[in-house]
Amino acid sequence: MSDKLGVVILAAGQGTRMRSKLPKVLHKLAGRSLLGRVIDTAKRLDPACIVVVHGHGGETVRQAFADDATLTWVEQAKQLGTGHAVRQAMPALTGMDRVLVLYGDVPLVSEETLARLIEARDDSALALLTVDLEDPHGYGRIVRDDNDDVMAIVEQKDANPLQLSIREINTGILIASFGPLKGWLEQLGNDNAQGEYYLTDIVELAVRTGVHVHAAQPEDPLEVMGVNDRVQLAELERHHQRIKAERLMRAGVTLRDPARFDVRGELSCGVDVEIDVNVLCEGRVELGDGVRIGANCVIRDSRIGDGVEILPNSIIEGAEIGAESRIGPFARLRPEARLADHVHVGNFVEIKKSDVASASKINHLSYIGDTTIGTRVNIGAGTITCNYDGANKHRTEIGDDVFVGSDTQLVAPVKVGNGATIGAGSTITRDTPADALTLCRATEQRTVKGWKRPVKKK
Ligand code: UD1
Ligand code: CA
């Protein structure tokens, strides 16, 4: 028995209240666009097809998902109502057995809630996702009869005073059997307060043909809240972040202040991770056991080993950090910075596309780019790898047990042999031999006796 699920996502709305040049559904919540989130959730239900209804000028929206070949796009040139929007999508849903209607601006609906709705439909041709709200103003109300059976949905603007007092509202999300849905949509009229083809009117049509309309509720009312303006967007963002933070804390992560911690992407943590205030994790971030992250750090697409300590105000992107290393404060690790175990990186040090072997230290004010550093190396304060000649990048190779004196420039391509020492203040342009001191200074040190400091002119 085939039971093909088709999903239609309505996203034709203008979103004027966002006051934005960007279409509403492309605004981001926790780093992912609203529509992207709905699509992700829809995909987890394993549907046979996903149809997105976009509005006039929806090209920007389409383009944002250009590399996703699984989506079908349907234009609804004029917004004549939610019923009209679904009707436009029906030809693209041909062959489906069930149709689930979602909204591009309702980003937090969970897979679990949708699974419950799908289950609620069961043997009926129609099931709705409803929720009880303290303040139901603005929403369509769920009208039930004396047996508590759903009879109709009445829009705010069409409701009588008695209906307005109903607190169970229509979230808009529903699932219906394809054939009956098609029939109901064809019968919709627009003789109502807004002159629109209401999707909600299919409920009455269904009831009239003897369909028993089921209803399911979400775990959390905020799951079904839509985004109309930036205030609501921020509310949902905070809600979403709080849930993520709670999940982490329950899994053994200490958050000094869950309200000052944000995840925009996927974060996995070992046990006994401690995160101080104002930390942002973006993309895919993996933190090993016992990792400690100081205040004001940004960590993006990085893997951080067991026992690592990141001191405050460090920015880490596309990096790998081995166990027991210590980074910061004020360190910047850029893409392809790969540090082994027990590495120390201190303040105002920038590392890019470089491998640093275990127990090496770069503690102060340095730039290390396109470099390989061996084990137990000490890079003195102010050391710069001059990796770029204005046209091409070149590599610096530093062996094991090297000591680089402060304020050294290593002009790449250049190699420093194992055990070499570089005298402070050197500009190294040629390979330096192992186990020897190499230094290069413009002049011998001299002293001018009786020299007077300049004084201010009167
Ligand atoms: C709709 C429901 C209402 C429900 C509320 C939940 C109808 C008639 N009413 O009301 O019962 O309580 O949602 O938020 O369905 N859209 C299109 N094309 C259109 C019209 C709308 O794609 O022609 C999309 C919009 O982009 C939006 C969604 O459908 O994402 C809902 O449209 P909106 O006009 O906001 O519906 P409401 O009037 O709020
Ligand atoms: Ca409307």
Side-chain angles (χ1 to χ4, degrees), residues 79 81-82 155 157 194 196 198:
Q79 273 193 260
T82 47
E155 291 305 296
K157 287 180 181 153
Q194 301 185 79
E196 285 181 6
Y198 291 166

Side-chain angles (χ1 to χ4, degrees), residues 42-43 99 136 140 161 244 256 283 327 340 373-374 391 400 405 415 423:
K43 281 187 176 168
V99 176
K244 281 205 157 186
R256 290 284 164 234
I327 312 296
I373 294 178
D400 297 335
K415 288 183 188 164

Side-chain angles (χ1 to χ4, degrees), residues 175-255:
I175 183 162
S177 302
F178 182 87
L181 176 63
K182 194 159 179 279
W184 300 326
L185 290 171
E186 279 158 10
Q187 294 173 57
L188 289 183
N190 63 353
D191 182 17
N192 52 51
Q194 301 185 79
E196 285 181 6
Y197 296 90
Y198 291 166
L199 179 60
T200 46
D201 284 350
I202 67 171
V203 175
E204 230 177 315
L205 293 169
V207 169
R208 230 184 277 157
T209 52
V211 171
H212 191 245
V213 179
H214 294 265
Q217 279 79 35
E219 199 96 321
D220 179 343
L222 276 146
E223 269 188 45
V224 294
M225 292 295 113
V227 171
N228 290 308
D229 58 30
R230 298 186 204 230
V231 175
Q232 288 169 339
L233 180 60
E235 274 166 15
L236 289 192
E237 173 85 33
R238 287 333 309 158
H239 173 74
H240 176 73
Q241 293 296 351
R242 201 186 66 224
I243 286 175
K244 281 205 157 186
E246 279 174 16
R247 245 181 244 153
L248 284 167
M249 292 187 287
R250 295 230 157 76
V253 174
T254 295
L255 297 176

Side-chain angles (χ1 to χ4, degrees), residues 10 47 52 67-68 78 107 110 122 196 213 219 239 246 250 302 322 329 342 357 378 406-407 414 420 440-441 458:
L10 304 191
V52 185
D67 50 8
D68 189 342
K78 269 198 192 141
S110 71
D122 223 8
E196 285 181 6
V213 179
E219 199 96 321
H239 173 74
E246 279 174 16
R250 295 230 157 76
S302 294
H342 294 97
N378 196 319
S406 296
D407 191 28
V414 72
C440 166
R441 290 176 189 153
K458 284 266 161 72

Side-chain angles (χ1 to χ4, degrees), residues 115-181:
R116 223 172 20 243
L117 173 68
I118 291 169
E119 222 168 84
R121 188 198 63 116
D122 223 8
D123 51 349
S124 167
L126 180 60
L128 311 171
L129 192 64
T130 72
V131 70
D132 288 320
L133 293 184
E134 287 289 319
D135 176 14
H137 184 86
Y139 291 97
R141 308 298 206 281
I142 305 295
V143 181
R144 291 178 183 261
D145 68 7
D146 296 339
N147 296 324
D148 224 23
D149 287 334
V150 174
M151 300 305 290
I153 300 175
V154 182
E155 291 305 296
Q156 167 88 25
K157 287 180 181 153
D158 301 289
N160 64 40
L162 193 66
Q163 290 165 335
L164 287 176
S165 68
I166 300 172
R167 282 178 32 195
E168 185 185 8
I169 64 100
N170 171 37
T171 66
I173 294 169
L174 58 82
I175 183 162
S177 302
F178 182 87
L181 176 63

Side-chain angles (χ1 to χ4, degrees), residues 10-28 33-35 61 104-106 226-230 232-233:
L10 304 191
Q14 298 254 320
T16 37
R17 278 176 280 168
M18 294 300 281
R19 297 191 180 274
S20 175
K21 287 179 182 153
L22 190 69
K24 172 165 79 176
V25 293
L26 294 186
H27 279 258
K28 285 182 177 170
S33 70
L34 301 179
L35 179 55
V61 180
D105 57 0
V106 180
V227 171
N228 290 308
D229 58 30
R230 298 186 204 230
Q232 288 169 339
L233 180 60

Side-chain angles (χ1 to χ4, degrees), residues 346-388:
N347 43 239
F348 307 107
V349 171
E350 174 180 352
I351 301 181
K352 180 220 89 170
K353 209 171 184 178
S354 295
D355 291 276
V356 181
S358 63
S360 287
K361 298 184 169 80
I362 313 160
N363 273 332
H364 328 267
L365 302 147
S366 285
Y367 172 65
I368 303 295
D370 303 294
T371 299
T372 309
I373 294 178
T375 69
R376 296 174 304 275
V377 168
N378 196 319
I379 304 280
T383 297
I384 306 291
T385 56
C386 309
N387 59 330
Y388 185 53

